Amino acid sequence: MSRRLYRLHLFTSGLRVFGDAIETVALPWGLLKTTNSLVSVGGYALFTHLPWVLLPPLLGRTLDRTSKKVRLAFLALLLQASLVILIVPLSSNIWAFYLIVSGISALDILHRYYGFSLIASMTLEEGELQGLNATLSLVGNIASLVAFPVAGALAYRFGVGAMLADAALLMVGALSLLPYLEVETTPLPAKGSEKVSKAPAINRGLIIGVLVSLLLFNFALGSFRIFVFARLKELARAEFLYGALQSLTTVGSIIGVGLIAYIARRRGAGVRKPLLAGMVLQSIALLLVGLSGVYLLVPAVFVLGLGRELLNVSADSLFQKYVPLESLGTMRGIFDALATLVIPLSQLTFAWMIEGGIGTTVSAALGGGLAFAGVVLLYLTLVYNNNKV
């Protein structure tokens, strides 16, 4: 049954990624055309990220406390479809717009954590976890590769009205879960009398070092979208170009999935090397996006996708391996809340800097410097604490 639910989750995730592409293109570009302000796009980022700051621990705990997790995934998709339909007539009211996108984002958390817990209930073997997570990521990236150009075309043709296609996809995903609402997801039984291995103990210095590094790096990388919008906003048919660039990011992510699968087969590779490599690649992408010339957006978004995937797949596998299923959602929720906290603040800060007269190149150089500082701080923290995972 778990394998069947996993395959169904691949299907619903593919639909969700396709719908998310429509949201990512149609909503901020519709807002930008209405307000002609990059700050309004920063506000959109704030209200889409705010639920990921406030709600993950709560929603994760809710998921942890029930074995019938399919029900919550069904409700998340159904309620999202309703909100997506509602945003079309209310898109001209900026505060209603912000509140609705916050609701859509909050429900995304529940669907994401459902799949996260489902995979954790299937195996404790690191290789299998990497394979399951890589397959899920591959499906999502392939869906994105197709979806973003289509989303750009729909947004150009229909504006915010393109969200009705997103609502239809969400409804299909919700209806596909109907036969499985009573299925229970339970923890794996212990093998014999052996206890599941836990992550090595960590000290306070390591916790503080990793946390500061994460916040600094996420603050720097959060500005990437603002720089892309700043480069494209004066161009004709910017939505098409933005959709194409999103697809190129996905190509980088697909290659990243292959790299992480290769790394997983090597003994002793752990997560430190792909973690640091992913951060370095994304820092380079941030520097590239600030250079003059729209053509440099091509390598920038490709490298961004490559580095991002190196981080994401391994991070998921580690949580699923070392955190018990009963508290997995809560622990991941706390982590995601901290990681997300600084992103909208970054986008608002850099948007104000650009519109205040500081050039895009200078702003991106500052962001890239902060990102590399986060990489160096994390490296020094890991070396000093000798924390090998």
Side-chain angles (χ1 to χ4, degrees), residues 174-187:
L175 293 175
S176 69
L177 292 175
L178 276 175
Y180 304 95
L181 297 183
E182 299 300 320
V183 174
E184 296 187 359
T185 303
T186 55

Side-chain angles (χ1 to χ4, degrees), residues 1 3 21-22 37 52 63 75 102 110 117 156 197 235 239 255 258 263 275 279 291 299 306 311 332:
M1 180 58 72
R3 293 284 170 177
I22 298 174
S37 171
W52 284 85
L63 195 69
L75 289 174
S102 291
L110 203 50
S117 297
Y156 179 75
S197 62
L235 300 180
E239 295 93 335
I255 294 175
I263 292 171
L275 176 66
M279 293 176 71
L291 298 178
L306 177 62
L311 272 71
R332 184 58 191 242

Side-chain angles (χ1 to χ4, degrees), residues 2 38 49 59 109 114 137 149 169 174 187 195 199 233 262 266 269 302 318 333 339 347 359 371 380:
S2 292
L38 284 174
H49 285 87
L59 295 181
I109 300 171
Y114 157 69
S137 179
L169 294 173
K195 294 182 179 180
K233 72 171 186 172
Y262 170 74
R266 296 178 58 189
F302 173 81
L318 282 174
Q347 295 196 9
L380 293 176

Side-chain angles (χ1 to χ4, degrees), residues 220-241:
L221 261 293
S223 64
F224 191 89
R225 173 188 275 189
I226 292 297
F227 297 134
V228 173
F229 272 73
R231 292 297 188 199
L232 293 180
K233 72 171 186 172
E234 301 299 333
L235 300 180
R237 299 189 177 184
E239 295 93 335
F240 281 118
L241 293 174

Side-chain angles (χ1 to χ4, degrees), residues 300-323:
V301 298
F302 173 81
V303 172
L304 180 78
L306 177 62
R308 186 169 59 196
E309 208 64 34
L310 289 175
L311 272 71
N312 290 345
V313 172
S314 290
D316 283 351
S317 297
L318 282 174
F319 267 96
Q320 292 157 342
K321 168 70 176 178
Y322 293 109
V323 179

Side-chain angles (χ1 to χ4, degrees), residues 350-359:
F350 282 92
W352 278 323
M353 287 173 61
I354 294 172
E355 294 193 345
I358 299 176

Side-chain angles (χ1 to χ4, degrees), residues 21 37 50 63 72 87 96 115 142 148 160 239 247 265 276 299 327 330 336 355 364 371:
S37 171
L50 193 59
L63 195 69
L72 295 182
I87 203 172
I142 290 175
F148 274 104
V160 178
E239 295 93 335
S247 292
R265 296 191 188 100
L276 292 172
S327 57
T330 304
D336 285 345
E355 294 193 345

Side-chain angles (χ1 to χ4, degrees), residues 2 5 16 19 39 88 110 137 177 205 212 258 314 351 353 357 361 384-385:
S2 292
L5 284 173
R16 189 66 205 98
V39 174
V88 176
L110 203 50
S137 179
L177 292 175
V212 173
S314 290
M353 287 173 61
T361 301
Y384 179 77
N385 290 277

